[in-house]
Amino acid sequence: NTITSIKEYFPNLFVGVILYDLIPLISKEKYLGYEPLYNWYFEKIKFLNRADLLFSISESSKSEAVNYLQIESNKIINISSAVDQSIFHEVPYDAELLTKLGISKPFIMHTSAFEERKNFEGLIAAFALLDVELRKQFQLVLVCKLTQNQKDQLFLLGDKCGLSADDLILTGFVDDDSLVKLYS
């Protein structure tokens, strides 16, 4: 869902574009190994370079544009991508939700898509390295949509790292209302 006509039809029109990241460009071998996809992506990059202004969602994406596309930093504004405060705000404690998800004590929570670059394995291994007395006070809660195979792999890793079934909680997908409650 990207527009690829930047400056193509209206060259004098001032155009600003939101830049999320350049992960496929940075890791071409992983994300762009298929030639038609590679060509498609670099067509998008060509058009991105035509923009008069980039709105980056983070300092990291701004740095990527400067370092990988040689775009001048004064042409990039970090707009951040903070959460919608009308949705994400403090809400009352929901013991029923925690019980439903298997959360029984204070927890360390990670939310993201399940992708290699998110390093779920490293997080599980790092949690397992905590002093046992400290670790017993918390649960590691990973909030993300997972296939059964992915769940099995993560539980197997947790087991290999010495975590009990109560130490590692995989919630699967949760809706925004539940996510707000978990953050609260």
Side-chain angles (χ1 to χ4, degrees):
N1 295 334
T2 57
I3 296 173
T4 56
S5 62
I6 298 169
K7 302 283 186 174
E8 187 80 5
Y9 303 106
F10 303 99
N12 297 323
L13 186 67
F14 188 88
V15 178
V17 178
I18 296 175
L19 173 66
Y20 289 90
D21 63 54
L22 294 172
I23 292 168
L25 178 65
I26 295 166
S27 300
K28 289 187 279 288
E29 61 288 338
K30 180 174 181 176
Y31 294 99
L32 301 175
Y34 179 58
E35 186 176 357
L37 180 60
Y38 180 94
N39 295 336
W40 175 87
Y41 184 80
F42 277 91
E43 173 87 2
K44 305 298 180 214
I45 293 295
K46 178 182 82 175
F47 282 105
L48 181 67
N49 277 300
R50 293 180 179 181
D52 298 295
L53 185 65
L54 294 181
F55 299 102
S56 68
I57 64 156
S58 66
E59 280 300 317
S60 177
S61 64
K62 180 178 180 175
S63 294
E64 289 173 3
V66 170
N67 295 329
Y68 291 93
L69 301 178
Q70 288 71 53
I71 295 175
E72 297 173 29
S73 65
N74 64 347
K75 289 180 62 177
I76 308 167
I77 297 172
N78 176 8
I79 59 171
S80 189
S81 58
V83 298
D84 182 343
Q85 292 184 353
S86 68
I87 297 172
F88 285 89
H89 55 276
E90 193 169 348
V91 297
Y93 182 83
D94 187 340
E96 186 178 320
L97 173 65
L98 296 179
T99 300
K100 176 182 152 196
L101 295 175
I103 301 171
S104 59
K105 51 188 165 183
F107 56 94
I108 299 165
M109 182 173 71
H110 171 77
T111 62
S112 76
F114 186 71
E115 298 177 8
E116 182 181 345
R117 65 189 172 91
K118 300 296 184 176
N119 199 7
F120 279 65
E121 294 83 0
L123 179 57
I124 291 169
F127 183 74
L129 290 173
L130 290 174
D131 178 78
V132 174
E133 290 305 310
L134 176 63
R135 194 178 72 218
K136 285 195 305 189
Q137 298 173 45
F138 300 95
Q139 290 175 296
L140 178 59
V141 176
L142 305 180
V143 179
C144 124
K145 182 179 177 181
L146 297 166
T147 66
Q148 188 57 51
N149 185 47
Q150 291 165 334
K151 288 179 186 179
D152 293 345
Q153 290 176 4
L154 292 175
F155 280 130
L156 182 61
L157 175 63
D159 186 54
K160 285 181 182 176
C161 290
L163 298 179
S164 71
D166 190 50
D167 291 331
L168 177 61
I169 305 297
L170 306 176
T171 67
F173 173 81
V174 299
D175 60 36
D176 283 350
D177 289 339
S178 297
L179 188 59
V180 168
K181 291 173 183 177
L182 289 171
Y183 274 116
S184 287

